[in-house]
Amino acid sequence: MLLDPTQVFGGFRPAYLVRALPMLLRPTPGRIGGFLAWESGLAGPQAVADAAGPDWFRLQEATAGFPTVRPVTGPRPDLRGLGRLPVTVLFAGRSRCHDARRTARAAAAALPPGARIEVVPDAAHHVFPLTAAEAVAEAVATTSATA
């Protein structure tokens, strides 16, 4: 099961990378909160904390103090080995990382027949599992039942 995977079925939107750059180059709690608010489409950092939970939000802000390392990226995975495994991919409909609908079409073309691919309309990338928990739980239950 993949939740709004990036760099698997398509690349990042350039605007997303430009917006993330200040946070990646010099992370501060304010930059992290502002970026999460922008990406999720919520009305500011406090709205993100309210939607995703204050503990999760504090953890995100705390990453500003982590040692700086480059983001881990690599080549797109080889999907041919999936064979007959049940595959579920959920895309966040409001994701600013990529165009969810276009990336879902690319996933459908790349994955074996029978893969479950859905766009969850009101979900955003970074807060997906927290704000769309019901959709995620239903997909997990359905996927594990077919395994």
Coordinates of all heavy atoms in Angstrom, one line a residue, residues 2-14 16 76-77 79 87-111 115-120 125 128:
L2 N 0.6 2.2 -0.9 CA 1.3 3.4 -1.0 C 0.3 4.6 -0.7 O -0.8 4.6 -1.3 CB 1.9 3.6 -2.4 CG 2.9 2.5 -2.8 CD1 3.2 2.6 -4.3 CD2 4.1 2.5 -2.0
L3 N 0.8 5.5 0.1 CA 0.0 6.7 0.4 C 0.6 7.9 -0.3 O 1.7 8.3 0.1 CB -0.1 7.0 1.9 CG -0.8 5.9 2.7 CD1 -0.8 6.3 4.2 CD2 -2.2 5.7 2.2
D4 N 0.0 8.5 -1.3 CA 0.4 9.6 -2.0 C 1.9 9.5 -2.3 O 2.7 10.4 -2.0 CB 0.1 10.9 -1.3 CG 0.0 12.1 -2.3 OD1 -0.5 11.9 -3.4 OD2 0.4 13.2 -1.9
P5 N 2.4 8.5 -3.0 CA 3.8 8.3 -3.2 C 4.3 9.4 -4.2 O 3.7 9.7 -5.2 CB 3.9 6.9 -3.9 CG 2.6 6.7 -4.5 CD 1.6 7.4 -3.6
T6 N 5.5 9.9 -3.8 CA 6.2 10.8 -4.7 C 7.4 10.1 -5.4 O 8.0 9.2 -4.8 CB 6.7 12.0 -3.9 OG1 7.6 11.6 -2.9 CG2 5.5 12.8 -3.3
Q7 N 7.7 10.6 -6.6 CA 8.8 10.1 -7.3 C 8.7 8.6 -7.7 O 9.7 8.0 -8.1 CB 10.1 10.3 -6.6 CG 10.4 11.7 -6.3 CD 10.7 12.5 -7.5 OE1 9.8 13.1 -8.1 NE2 12.0 12.6 -7.9
V8 N 7.5 8.0 -7.7 CA 7.3 6.6 -8.1 C 6.6 6.6 -9.4 O 7.1 5.9 -10.3 CB 6.5 5.8 -7.0 CG1 6.2 4.4 -7.5 CG2 7.2 5.8 -5.7
F9 N 5.6 7.3 -9.6 CA 4.8 7.3 -10.9 C 4.9 8.7 -11.6 O 4.4 8.8 -12.7 CB 3.3 7.0 -10.6 CG 3.2 5.7 -9.9 CD1 2.8 5.7 -8.5 CD2 3.4 4.5 -10.5 CE1 2.7 4.5 -7.8 CE2 3.2 3.3 -9.8 CZ 2.8 3.3 -8.5
G10 N 5.6 9.6 -11.1 CA 5.8 10.9 -11.7 C 6.7 11.8 -10.8 O 6.9 11.4 -9.6
G11 N 7.1 12.9 -11.3 CA 8.0 13.8 -10.6 C 7.2 14.8 -9.7 O 6.0 14.9 -9.7
F12 N 8.0 15.6 -9.0 CA 7.4 16.7 -8.2 C 7.0 17.8 -9.1 O 7.6 18.1 -10.2 CB 8.5 17.2 -7.2 CG 8.8 16.3 -6.1 CD1 10.0 15.7 -5.9 CD2 7.8 16.1 -5.1 CE1 10.3 14.9 -4.9 CE2 8.1 15.3 -4.0 CZ 9.3 14.7 -3.9
R13 N 6.0 18.6 -8.7 CA 5.7 19.8 -9.4 C 6.8 20.8 -9.0 O 7.3 20.9 -7.9 CB 4.4 20.4 -8.8 CG 3.2 19.7 -9.3 CD 2.0 20.4 -8.7 NE 0.7 19.9 -9.3 CZ -0.4 20.0 -8.8 NH1 -0.6 20.6 -7.6 NH2 -1.5 19.5 -9.4
P14 N 7.3 21.6 -10.0 CA 8.4 22.6 -9.8 C 8.0 23.6 -8.7 O 8.8 23.9 -7.8 CB 8.6 23.2 -11.1 CG 8.2 22.2 -12.1 CD 7.0 21.5 -11.5
Y16 N 6.2 23.1 -6.1 CA 6.3 22.5 -4.8 C 7.8 22.5 -4.3 O 8.1 22.9 -3.2 CB 5.9 21.0 -4.9 CG 6.1 20.2 -3.6 CD1 5.1 20.3 -2.6 CD2 7.2 19.4 -3.5 CE1 5.3 19.6 -1.4 CE2 7.4 18.7 -2.3 CZ 6.4 18.8 -1.3 OH 6.6 18.0 -0.1
R76 N 13.4 5.6 -9.6 CA 12.1 5.1 -9.4 C 12.2 3.6 -9.3 O 13.0 2.9 -9.9 CB 11.2 5.5 -10.6 CG 10.9 6.9 -10.6 CD 9.8 7.2 -11.6 NE 9.6 8.7 -11.5 CZ 9.2 9.4 -12.5 NH1 9.0 8.9 -13.7 NH2 9.0 10.7 -12.4
P77 N 11.4 3.0 -8.4 CA 11.4 1.6 -8.2 C 11.0 0.8 -9.5 O 10.2 1.3 -10.3 CB 10.5 1.3 -7.1 CG 9.6 2.5 -7.1 CD 10.3 3.6 -7.6
L79 N 8.7 -1.7 -10.9 CA 7.4 -2.2 -10.5 C 7.1 -3.6 -11.1 O 6.1 -4.2 -10.7 CB 6.3 -1.2 -10.8 CG 6.5 0.2 -10.2 CD1 5.5 1.1 -10.8 CD2 6.5 0.1 -8.7
V87 N -2.1 -4.6 -4.7 CA -1.5 -3.3 -4.6 C -2.6 -2.3 -4.5 O -3.5 -2.3 -5.2 CB -0.6 -3.0 -5.8 CG1 0.0 -1.5 -5.7 CG2 0.5 -4.0 -6.0
T88 N -2.4 -1.4 -3.4 CA -3.4 -0.3 -3.3 C -2.5 1.0 -3.2 O -1.5 1.1 -2.5 CB -4.2 -0.4 -2.0 OG1 -5.0 -1.6 -2.1 CG2 -5.1 0.8 -1.8
V89 N -3.0 2.0 -4.0 CA -2.3 3.3 -4.0 C -3.4 4.3 -3.8 O -4.3 4.4 -4.6 CB -1.6 3.5 -5.3 CG1 -0.8 4.8 -5.3 CG2 -0.6 2.4 -5.7
L90 N -3.2 5.1 -2.8 CA -4.1 6.2 -2.5 C -3.3 7.5 -2.8 O -2.2 7.7 -2.3 CB -4.6 6.2 -1.1 CG -5.4 5.0 -0.6 CD1 -5.8 5.2 0.8 CD2 -6.6 4.8 -1.5
F91 N -3.9 8.4 -3.6 CA -3.4 9.7 -3.8 C -4.2 10.8 -3.1 O -5.4 10.7 -3.1 CB -3.3 10.0 -5.4 CG -2.3 9.1 -6.1 CD1 -2.7 8.0 -6.7 CD2 -1.0 9.5 -6.1 CE1 -1.8 7.2 -7.4 CE2 -0.1 8.7 -6.8 CZ -0.5 7.6 -7.4
A92 N -3.5 11.8 -2.6 CA -4.1 12.9 -2.0 C -4.6 13.9 -3.0 O -3.8 14.5 -3.8 CB -3.1 13.6 -1.0
G93 N -5.9 14.1 -3.1 CA -6.5 14.9 -4.2 C -6.0 16.4 -4.1 O -6.0 17.0 -5.1
R94 N -5.7 16.9 -2.9 CA -5.2 18.2 -2.8 C -3.7 18.3 -2.7 O -3.2 19.4 -2.3 CB -5.9 18.9 -1.6 CG -7.4 19.1 -1.8 CD -7.9 20.0 -0.7 NE -7.1 20.2 0.5 CZ -7.5 20.1 1.7 NH1 -8.7 19.8 2.0 NH2 -6.6 20.2 2.7
S95 N -3.0 17.3 -3.0 CA -1.5 17.3 -2.9 C -0.9 18.4 -3.8 O -1.3 18.5 -4.9 CB -1.0 15.9 -3.3 OG 0.4 15.9 -3.3
R96 N 0.0 19.1 -3.2 CA 0.7 20.1 -4.0 C 2.0 19.5 -4.5 O 2.7 20.1 -5.3 CB 0.9 21.3 -3.3 CG -0.4 22.0 -3.0 CD -0.2 23.4 -2.5 NE -1.5 24.0 -2.2 CZ -1.6 25.3 -2.0 NH1 -0.6 26.1 -2.0 NH2 -2.8 25.8 -1.8
C97 N 2.4 18.3 -4.1 CA 3.6 17.6 -4.6 C 3.6 17.3 -6.0 O 4.5 17.4 -6.7 CB 3.8 16.3 -3.8 SG 4.0 16.4 -2.1
H98 N 2.4 16.8 -6.5 CA 2.2 16.4 -7.8 C 0.7 16.5 -8.2 O -0.1 16.7 -7.3 CB 2.7 15.0 -8.0 CG 2.2 14.0 -7.0 ND1 3.0 13.1 -6.4 CD2 1.0 13.8 -6.4 CE1 2.3 12.4 -5.6 NE2 1.1 12.8 -5.5
D99 N 0.4 16.3 -9.4 CA -1.0 16.3 -9.9 C -1.5 14.9 -9.6 O -1.1 14.0 -10.2 CB -1.1 16.6 -11.4 CG -2.5 16.7 -11.9 OD1 -3.2 15.7 -11.6 OD2 -2.9 17.6 -12.6
A100 N -2.4 14.8 -8.6 CA -2.9 13.5 -8.1 C -3.6 12.7 -9.2 O -3.3 11.5 -9.3 CB -3.8 13.7 -6.9
R101 N -4.4 13.3 -10.0 CA -5.1 12.6 -11.0 C -4.2 12.1 -12.1 O -4.3 11.0 -12.6 CB -6.3 13.5 -11.5 CG -7.5 13.4 -10.5 CD -8.4 14.6 -10.7 NE -9.4 14.6 -9.7 CZ -9.3 14.9 -8.4 NH1 -8.1 15.0 -7.9 NH2 -10.3 14.9 -7.6
R102 N -3.3 13.0 -12.6 CA -2.4 12.6 -13.6 C -1.5 11.4 -13.1 O -1.2 10.5 -13.8 CB -1.6 13.8 -14.1 CG -0.7 13.4 -15.3 CD 0.1 14.6 -15.8 NE 1.0 15.1 -14.8 CZ 1.2 16.4 -14.7 NH1 0.7 17.3 -15.5 NH2 2.1 16.8 -13.7
T103 N -1.0 11.6 -11.9 CA -0.1 10.6 -11.3 C -0.9 9.3 -11.1 O -0.3 8.2 -11.3 CB 0.5 11.1 -10.0 OG1 1.1 12.4 -10.3 CG2 1.6 10.2 -9.5
A104 N -2.2 9.3 -10.7 CA -3.0 8.1 -10.6 C -3.1 7.4 -11.9 O -3.1 6.2 -12.0 CB -4.3 8.5 -10.0
R105 N -3.3 8.2 -13.0 CA -3.3 7.5 -14.3 C -2.0 6.9 -14.7 O -2.0 5.8 -15.2 CB -3.7 8.6 -15.4 CG -5.2 9.0 -15.3 CD -5.6 9.8 -16.6 NE -4.8 11.1 -16.7 CZ -5.1 12.2 -16.1 NH1 -6.2 12.3 -15.3 NH2 -4.4 13.3 -16.3
A106 N -0.9 7.5 -14.3 CA 0.4 6.9 -14.6 C 0.6 5.6 -13.7 O 1.1 4.6 -14.2 CB 1.5 7.9 -14.2
A107 N 0.0 5.6 -12.5 CA 0.1 4.4 -11.7 C -0.7 3.3 -12.3 O -0.3 2.1 -12.3 CB -0.4 4.7 -10.3
A108 N -1.9 3.6 -12.8 CA -2.7 2.6 -13.4 C -2.1 2.0 -14.6 O -2.2 0.8 -14.9 CB -4.1 3.2 -13.8
A109 N -1.3 2.8 -15.4 CA -0.6 2.3 -16.5 C 0.6 1.4 -16.1 O 1.0 0.5 -16.8 CB -0.1 3.4 -17.4
A110 N 1.2 1.7 -15.0 CA 2.4 1.0 -14.6 C 2.2 -0.2 -13.7 O 3.0 -1.1 -13.7 CB 3.3 2.0 -13.8
L111 N 1.1 -0.3 -13.0 CA 0.8 -1.4 -12.1 C 0.1 -2.5 -12.8 O -0.6 -2.4 -13.8 CB 0.0 -0.9 -10.9 CG 0.8 0.1 -10.0 CD1 -0.1 0.7 -9.0 CD2 2.0 -0.6 -9.3
A115 N -4.8 -3.7 -9.6 CA -4.3 -2.8 -8.6 C -5.4 -1.8 -8.2 O -6.2 -1.3 -9.1 CB -3.1 -2.0 -9.0
R116 N -5.6 -1.4 -7.0 CA -6.6 -0.5 -6.6 C -5.9 0.9 -6.5 O -4.9 1.1 -5.8 CB -7.1 -0.9 -5.2 CG -8.1 0.1 -4.6 CD -8.6 -0.3 -3.3 NE -9.4 0.7 -2.7 CZ -9.9 0.6 -1.4 NH1 -9.6 -0.5 -0.7 NH2 -10.6 1.6 -1.0
I117 N -6.4 1.8 -7.2 CA -5.8 3.2 -7.3 C -7.0 4.2 -7.1 O -8.0 4.1 -7.8 CB -5.1 3.4 -8.6 CG1 -4.0 2.4 -8.8 CG2 -4.6 4.8 -8.7 CD1 -3.6 2.3 -10.3
E118 N -6.8 5.0 -6.1 CA -7.9 6.0 -5.8 C -7.3 7.3 -5.5 O -6.1 7.4 -5.0 CB -8.7 5.5 -4.5 CG -9.5 4.3 -4.7 CD -10.3 3.9 -3.5 OE1 -10.6 4.8 -2.7 OE2 -10.6 2.8 -3.3
V119 N -8.1 8.4 -5.7 CA -7.7 9.7 -5.3 C -8.7 10.1 -4.2 O -9.9 10.0 -4.4 CB -7.8 10.7 -6.5 CG1 -7.6 12.1 -6.1 CG2 -6.8 10.3 -7.6
V120 N -8.2 10.4 -3.1 CA -9.0 10.8 -1.9 C -9.1 12.4 -2.1 O -8.1 13.1 -1.8 CB -8.4 10.4 -0.6 CG1 -9.2 10.9 0.6 CG2 -8.2 8.9 -0.6
H125 N -1.0 15.9 1.0 CA 0.1 15.0 1.1 C 0.7 14.8 2.5 O 0.7 13.7 3.1 CB 1.3 15.5 0.2 CG 2.5 14.6 0.2 ND1 2.5 13.4 -0.4 CD2 3.7 14.8 0.9 CE1 3.7 12.8 -0.2 NE2 4.4 13.6 0.6
F128 N -1.9 13.5 5.1 CA -2.8 12.5 4.6 C -3.3 11.5 5.6 O -4.5 11.3 5.9 CB -2.1 11.8 3.4 CG -3.0 11.0 2.5 CD1 -2.5 10.5 1.4 CD2 -4.3 10.7 2.9 CE1 -3.3 9.7 0.5 CE2 -5.2 10.0 2.0 CZ -4.6 9.4 0.9

